[in-house]
Amino acid sequence: MSPRPPSMIARALALAAGLLVLKVTANIVSNYVDYFPPDFRSGFLRGREGHFAGIYEWAFDAHILAGPLTLVLGLLLVSTRLRAWSPRWHRRMGWVQVACVVLLVAPGGLWMARYPAAGPVAGAGLATLAVLTAACAILGVRAARMRRFADHRRWMWRCYLLLCSAVVLRLIGGLAVVAGITSPWYDPLANWASWLAPLAAFEVAERMRRRH
């Protein structure tokens, strides 16, 4: 039995999510003027002068330069139309995606997690996120090489949802501003929720899909 085509509501939600990812990606890139050279009066870099030089600067540059690329590539890679139209381009972009995640984004994020602005609880969440993102990418490649394409799809979706934690975190931060939340527990909770919530929702949806 062939899968049912997505409904209009599902397509609209997917389009809205894609536009949101692109908007956040454009916002990240627009902040490069504050990062190169580093402006320690800007939002993210404020108060990081003491540990920025050296390995942290390399980790930050790798993470911030490769991160937007993985968000945009991920939108193309999850497209079933592109995969059906050109499997070769899907594979090529997939290898670029995995290389960026495993060699740049995840290691950079893991090192930066040692110096979290929101405290050690947030740092533990960011470190866990970095490790899981790289693991999902590696397991996705392994599944594809074994021609287990359903497993490959699931692992790469998990990887992309973890990458999109940057998008979710900005949404949660905006919610805090609107609601006037200033409690010290909010930022550590947001760091964990930004990837745990989407990943949990995906696992529930996958379980329901496979059951039906």
Side-chain angles (χ1 to χ4, degrees):
M1 181 182 296
S2 60
R4 290 181 299 176
S7 65
M8 291 296 296
I9 295 177
R11 291 178 180 177
L13 290 174
L15 176 61
L19 291 175
L20 178 61
V21 169
L22 291 177
K23 183 180 184 301
V24 171
T25 302
N27 184 61
I28 293 172
V29 174
S30 70
N31 288 329
Y32 281 0
V33 67
D34 294 329
Y35 302 152
F36 306 103
D39 180 3
F40 296 107
R41 297 170 298 175
S42 64
F44 181 81
L45 293 181
R46 186 176 293 112
R48 298 182 185 271
E49 301 94 325
H51 56 261
F52 189 81
I55 298 178
Y56 187 95
E57 183 175 5
W58 288 99
F60 173 79
D61 290 349
H63 189 79
I64 204 68
L65 289 173
L69 177 61
T70 61
L71 289 174
V72 175
L73 276 179
L75 282 178
L76 298 174
L77 289 167
V78 298
S79 169
T80 54
R81 290 185 178 182
L82 176 65
R83 186 167 64 247
W85 173 69
S86 180
R88 178 177 297 179
W89 274 106
H90 179 83
R91 285 194 299 271
R92 288 174 177 174
M93 288 190 295
W95 279 115
V96 174
Q97 176 83 333
V98 170
C100 286
V101 169
V102 175
L103 300 179
L104 299 173
V105 176
L110 186 60
W111 187 267
M112 291 166 62
R114 300 178 59 188
Y115 307 94
V121 174
L126 295 172
T128 306
L129 169 63
V131 172
L132 288 180
T133 305
C136 287
I138 293 170
L139 289 170
V141 170
R142 180 174 179 270
R145 292 178 68 87
M146 297 175 67
R147 306 191 67 79
R148 290 164 32 201
F149 295 117
D151 289 339
H152 167 74
R153 181 190 68 85
R154 284 189 286 270
W155 282 118
M156 297 315 294
W157 258 111
R158 292 178 182 116
C159 178
Y160 190 58
L161 288 173
L162 292 172
L163 289 170
C164 285
S165 62
V167 178
V168 179
L169 189 59
R170 281 162 175 77
L171 291 177
I172 297 175
L175 177 63
V177 173
V178 172
I181 301 174
T182 58
S183 299
W185 53 264
Y186 189 82
D187 285 345
L189 178 63
N191 277 277
W192 282 93
S194 65
W195 60 270
L196 273 177
L199 193 60
F202 173 78
E203 297 300 338
V204 171
E206 274 296 295
R207 184 176 293 272
M208 294 176 62
R209 187 185 67 85
R210 296 173 71 179
R211 184 173 296 175
H212 289 288

